[in-house]
Amino acid sequence: NAGVTQTPKFQVLKTGQSMTLQCAQDMNHNSMYWYRQDPGMGLRLIYYSASEGTTDKGEVPNGYNVSRLNKREFSLRLESAAPSQTSVYFCASTAPGQAYTFGSGTRLTVV
Amino acid sequence: GENVEQHPSTLSVQEGDSAVIKCTYSDSASNYFPWYKQELGKRPQLIIDIRSNVGEKKDQRIAVTLNKTAKHFSLHITETQPEDSAVYFCAATASGGSYIPTFGRGTSLIVHP
């Protein structure tokens, strides 16, 4: 039982480059989320998908896009990376009224 | 929307002492309150949770209490050990709506040997 699998674990990008962070869960959860975590800022929601076929903006969506490819997979895309997007990114999934299961995180540095 | 305040932001204790982290929430519709522990460089992981129909829940050295009237809930860790050193996050969510929990900002717990 893998839970939530996130790739890659580490990435260095140059300003202006694009990349996609991948997330997949095998728990048959309807809801999936992308968070970023910065020192002293806690976990901030970027985008979420309450169910397959739907996506919604969270607290900090600017500069990001998402795709809910199917029930298992929810990807996060940075079209033109900026140094302000240097952060640790976590994908999570959950069933209604239950705790999150988080992926292992992606440490992204934009230079 | 929901607002969750978490205090303190940093907590330093001696091994064997107790530690208490407190969270307050604003939305009376919230009815599920999980606590997550995040060790350095790791993912947040659920350590204990409580629902609004229960006032207290214990699991070995950790416990969570909930006061629905005052809209606050607390994490209690007894007999702290160095391996308890981590960042702890509280969260509040309602079973209806979009199920998005609101997180506190986190508490960095340091247990000194």
Side-chain angles (χ1 to χ4, degrees):
Chain A
N1 184 357
V4 178
T5 302
Q6 224 180 298
T7 56
K9 292 190 184 301
F10 301 93
Q11 184 71 50
V12 178
L13 290 178
K14 293 182 179 179
T15 298
Q17 286 186 318
S18 62
M19 78 162 294
T20 299
L21 282 65
Q22 307 287 352
C23 177
Q25 51 92 9
D26 62 2
M27 296 171 288
N28 202 35
H29 287 163
N30 284 325
S31 301
M32 298 184 73
Y33 309 81
W34 277 104
Y35 284 86
R36 61 177 289 172
Q37 186 175 36
D38 304 292
M41 299 296 291
L43 293 158
R44 293 187 291 170
L45 183 64
I46 305 171
Y47 271 93
Y48 67 98
S49 172
S51 61
E52 186 179 356
T54 69
T55 60
D56 285 286
K57 295 178 180 180
E59 180 185 357
V60 289
N62 291 345
Y64 306 95
N65 285 301
V66 291
S67 295
R68 183 73 182 265
L69 305 170
N70 47 56
K71 190 171 186 178
R72 291 186 62 249
E73 298 173 286
F74 187 40
S75 62
L76 177 72
R77 182 161 179 84
L78 286 70
E79 291 290 352
S80 179
S84 61
Q85 294 178 305
T86 293
S87 187
V88 179
Y89 292 84
F90 287 101
C91 176
S93 72
T94 187
Q98 300 296 322
Y100 277 175
T101 299
F102 285 91
S104 57
T106 297
R107 188 172 297 273
L108 174 67
T109 302
V110 183
V111 298
Chain B
E2 176 65 277
N3 181 48
V4 175
E5 299 285 339
Q6 183 173 346
H7 299 282
S9 57
T10 305
L11 180 58
S12 182
V13 300
Q14 290 296 128
E15 182 176 1
D17 288 349
S18 294
V20 180
I21 303 169
K22 298 181 179 179
C23 289
T24 59
Y25 62 99
S26 60
D27 190 346
S28 57
S30 289
N31 57 10
Y32 177 60
F33 307 92
W35 284 88
Y36 298 87
K37 176 183 180 182
Q38 185 179 26
E39 297 176 349
L40 190 62
K42 305 286 188 180
R43 75 188 81 187
Q45 291 192 289
L46 177 73
I47 55 170
I48 196 167
D49 56 10
I50 192 167
R51 298 190 185 273
S52 59
N53 59 345
V54 175
E56 183 176 7
K57 184 176 179 180
K58 290 183 179 179
D59 183 2
Q60 299 182 341
R61 294 186 299 107
I62 61 173
V64 56
T65 57
L66 171 65
N67 183 327
K68 287 190 295 182
T69 302
K71 295 195 184 69
H72 67 72
F73 57 110
S74 299
L75 178 71
H76 304 255
I77 305 174
T78 59
E79 300 173 22
T80 53
Q81 301 168 4
E83 53 264 39
D84 294 328
S85 296
V87 177
Y88 293 81
F89 292 97
C90 64
T93 189
S95 58
S98 58
Y99 314 115
I100 301 172
T102 301
F103 286 90
R105 285 286 186 94
T107 296
S108 177
L109 174 64
I110 303 165
V111 181
H112 298 281

Coordinates of all heavy atoms in Angstrom, one line a residue, chain A residues 4-36:
Chain A
V4 N 0.3 7.9 -0.9 CA 0.4 9.0 -1.9 C 1.9 9.0 -2.4 O 2.8 9.1 -1.6 CB 0.1 10.3 -1.2 CG1 0.2 11.5 -2.2 CG2 -1.4 10.3 -0.7
T5 N 2.1 8.9 -3.7 CA 3.4 8.9 -4.3 C 3.6 10.2 -5.0 O 2.8 10.6 -5.9 CB 3.5 7.7 -5.2 OG1 3.3 6.5 -4.5 CG2 4.9 7.7 -5.8
Q6 N 4.7 10.9 -4.8 CA 5.0 12.2 -5.3 C 6.3 12.1 -6.0 O 7.3 11.6 -5.5 CB 5.1 13.2 -4.2 CG 4.4 14.5 -4.4 CD 4.5 15.4 -3.2 OE1 4.1 15.1 -2.1 NE2 5.2 16.6 -3.5
T7 N 6.4 12.7 -7.2 CA 7.7 12.8 -7.9 C 7.8 14.1 -8.6 O 6.8 14.7 -9.0 CB 7.8 11.7 -9.0 OG1 6.7 11.8 -9.9 CG2 7.8 10.3 -8.3
P8 N 9.0 14.7 -8.8 CA 10.3 14.1 -8.2 C 10.4 14.5 -6.7 O 9.6 15.3 -6.2 CB 11.3 14.9 -9.0 CG 10.7 16.2 -9.3 CD 9.3 15.9 -9.5
K9 N 11.5 14.1 -6.1 CA 11.7 14.5 -4.7 C 12.5 15.8 -4.6 O 12.3 16.6 -3.6 CB 12.5 13.4 -4.0 CG 11.7 12.1 -3.8 CD 12.4 11.1 -2.8 CE 11.7 9.8 -2.7 NZ 10.3 10.0 -2.2
F10 N 13.4 16.0 -5.5 CA 14.1 17.2 -5.6 C 14.2 17.7 -7.0 O 14.2 17.0 -8.0 CB 15.6 17.0 -5.1 CG 15.7 16.5 -3.7 CD1 15.8 15.1 -3.5 CD2 15.8 17.3 -2.7 CE1 15.9 14.6 -2.2 CE2 15.9 16.8 -1.4 CZ 16.0 15.5 -1.2
Q11 N 14.2 19.1 -7.2 CA 14.3 19.7 -8.5 C 14.9 21.0 -8.4 O 14.5 21.8 -7.5 CB 12.9 19.8 -9.2 CG 12.9 20.3 -10.6 CD 13.5 19.2 -11.5 OE1 13.1 18.1 -11.6 NE2 14.4 19.7 -12.4
V12 N 15.8 21.3 -9.3 CA 16.4 22.7 -9.4 C 16.0 23.2 -10.8 O 16.2 22.5 -11.8 CB 17.9 22.7 -9.3 CG1 18.4 24.2 -9.4 CG2 18.3 22.2 -7.9
L13 N 15.4 24.4 -10.9 CA 14.9 25.0 -12.1 C 15.6 26.3 -12.3 O 15.9 27.0 -11.3 CB 13.4 25.2 -12.2 CG 12.5 24.0 -12.3 CD1 11.0 24.4 -12.2 CD2 12.8 23.2 -13.5
K14 N 15.8 26.7 -13.5 CA 16.2 28.1 -13.8 C 14.9 28.9 -13.9 O 13.9 28.5 -14.4 CB 17.0 28.2 -15.0 CG 18.4 27.5 -14.9 CD 19.2 27.6 -16.2 CE 20.5 26.9 -16.0 NZ 21.3 27.0 -17.3
T15 N 15.0 30.2 -13.6 CA 13.9 31.1 -13.8 C 13.4 31.0 -15.2 O 14.1 31.1 -16.2 CB 14.3 32.6 -13.4 OG1 14.7 32.6 -12.1 CG2 13.2 33.5 -13.6
G16 N 12.0 30.9 -15.3 CA 11.4 30.8 -16.6 C 11.2 29.4 -17.1 O 10.3 29.2 -18.0
Q17 N 11.8 28.4 -16.5 CA 11.6 27.0 -17.0 C 10.3 26.6 -16.5 O 9.7 27.1 -15.5 CB 12.7 26.1 -16.5 CG 14.0 26.3 -17.2 CD 15.1 25.3 -16.8 OE1 15.2 25.0 -15.6 NE2 15.8 24.8 -17.7
S18 N 9.8 25.5 -17.1 CA 8.5 24.9 -16.6 C 8.8 23.5 -16.1 O 9.8 22.9 -16.5 CB 7.5 24.9 -17.8 OG 8.0 24.1 -18.9
M19 N 7.8 23.0 -15.3 CA 7.9 21.6 -14.9 C 6.6 21.2 -14.3 O 5.7 22.1 -14.0 CB 9.0 21.4 -13.8 CG 8.6 21.9 -12.4 SD 9.7 21.2 -11.1 CE 9.3 19.5 -11.2
T20 N 6.4 19.9 -14.2 CA 5.2 19.3 -13.7 C 5.5 18.4 -12.5 O 6.4 17.6 -12.7 CB 4.4 18.5 -14.7 OG1 4.0 19.4 -15.8 CG2 3.1 17.9 -14.1
L21 N 4.9 18.6 -11.4 CA 5.0 17.7 -10.3 C 3.9 16.7 -10.3 O 2.7 17.1 -10.5 CB 4.9 18.5 -8.9 CG 6.1 19.3 -8.5 CD1 6.4 20.4 -9.4 CD2 5.9 19.8 -7.1
Q22 N 4.2 15.5 -10.1 CA 3.3 14.4 -10.3 C 2.8 13.9 -8.9 O 3.7 13.8 -8.0 CB 3.9 13.2 -11.1 CG 4.4 13.6 -12.4 CD 3.4 13.9 -13.5 OE1 2.2 13.7 -13.2 NE2 3.8 14.4 -14.6
C23 N 1.6 13.5 -8.8 CA 1.1 12.9 -7.6 C 0.1 11.8 -7.9 O -0.8 12.0 -8.8 CB 0.4 14.0 -6.7 SG -0.4 13.4 -5.2
A24 N 0.2 10.7 -7.2 CA -0.8 9.6 -7.4 C -1.1 9.0 -6.1 O -0.2 8.8 -5.2 CB -0.2 8.6 -8.4
Q25 N -2.4 8.6 -5.9 CA -2.8 7.9 -4.6 C -3.5 6.6 -5.0 O -4.2 6.6 -6.0 CB -3.6 8.9 -3.8 CG -4.8 9.5 -4.5 CD -6.1 8.7 -4.4 OE1 -6.2 7.8 -3.6 NE2 -7.1 9.2 -5.1
D26 N -3.3 5.7 -4.1 CA -4.0 4.4 -4.4 C -5.0 4.0 -3.3 O -5.3 2.8 -3.0 CB -2.9 3.3 -4.5 CG -2.1 3.1 -3.2 OD1 -2.4 3.8 -2.2 OD2 -1.1 2.3 -3.2
M27 N -5.6 5.0 -2.7 CA -6.5 4.8 -1.6 C -8.0 5.1 -2.0 O -8.8 5.1 -1.1 CB -6.1 5.7 -0.4 CG -4.8 5.3 0.2 SD -4.2 6.5 1.4 CE -3.8 7.9 0.3
N28 N -8.2 5.3 -3.2 CA -9.5 5.5 -3.8 C -10.2 6.8 -3.2 O -11.4 6.8 -3.0 CB -10.4 4.3 -3.5 CG -11.6 4.3 -4.5 OD1 -11.5 4.6 -5.7 ND2 -12.8 3.8 -4.0
H29 N -9.3 7.7 -2.8 CA -9.8 9.0 -2.3 C -10.4 9.9 -3.4 O -9.8 9.9 -4.5 CB -8.7 9.8 -1.6 CG -8.4 9.2 -0.3 ND1 -7.2 9.5 0.4 CD2 -9.0 8.3 0.5 CE1 -7.1 8.8 1.5 NE2 -8.2 8.1 1.6
N30 N -11.5 10.6 -3.1 CA -12.0 11.5 -4.1 C -11.2 12.8 -4.2 O -11.0 13.4 -5.2 CB -13.5 11.8 -3.8 CG -14.4 10.7 -4.2 OD1 -14.2 10.0 -5.2 ND2 -15.5 10.5 -3.4
S31 N -10.8 13.3 -3.0 CA -10.2 14.6 -2.9 C -8.7 14.6 -2.8 O -8.1 13.8 -2.1 CB -10.8 15.3 -1.6 OG -12.2 15.4 -1.6
M32 N -8.1 15.5 -3.6 CA -6.7 15.6 -3.7 C -6.3 17.1 -3.6 O -7.1 18.0 -4.0 CB -6.1 15.0 -4.9 CG -6.4 13.5 -5.0 SD -5.6 12.6 -6.4 CE -3.9 12.6 -5.9
Y33 N -5.1 17.4 -3.1 CA -4.7 18.7 -2.8 C -3.2 18.9 -3.1 O -2.4 18.0 -3.0 CB -4.9 19.0 -1.3 CG -6.2 18.6 -0.8 CD1 -6.5 17.3 -0.4 CD2 -7.2 19.6 -0.6 CE1 -7.8 17.0 0.0 CE2 -8.5 19.2 -0.1 CZ -8.8 17.9 0.2 OH -10.0 17.6 0.7
W34 N -2.9 20.2 -3.4 CA -1.5 20.6 -3.5 C -1.2 21.7 -2.5 O -2.0 22.7 -2.5 CB -1.1 21.1 -4.9 CG -0.8 19.9 -5.8 CD1 -1.5 19.4 -6.8 CD2 0.5 19.2 -5.8 NE1 -0.9 18.4 -7.4 CE2 0.4 18.2 -6.8 CE3 1.6 19.2 -5.1 CZ2 1.4 17.3 -7.1 CZ3 2.7 18.4 -5.4 CH2 2.5 17.4 -6.4
Y35 N -0.2 21.6 -1.6 CA 0.2 22.6 -0.7 C 1.7 23.0 -1.0 O 2.4 22.2 -1.5 CB 0.2 22.0 0.7 CG -1.3 22.0 1.3 CD1 -2.0 20.8 1.1 CD2 -1.8 23.0 2.1 CE1 -3.3 20.7 1.6 CE2 -3.1 22.9 2.6 CZ -3.8 21.8 2.4 OH -5.1 21.7 2.9
R36 N 2.0 24.2 -0.6 CA 3.4 24.6 -0.5 C 3.7 24.9 1.0 O 2.8 25.4 1.7 CB 3.8 25.7 -1.4 CG 3.0 27.0 -1.2 CD 3.5 28.1 -2.1 NE 4.9 28.5 -1.8 CZ 5.6 29.4 -2.5 NH1 5.1 29.8 -3.7 NH2 6.8 29.7 -2.2

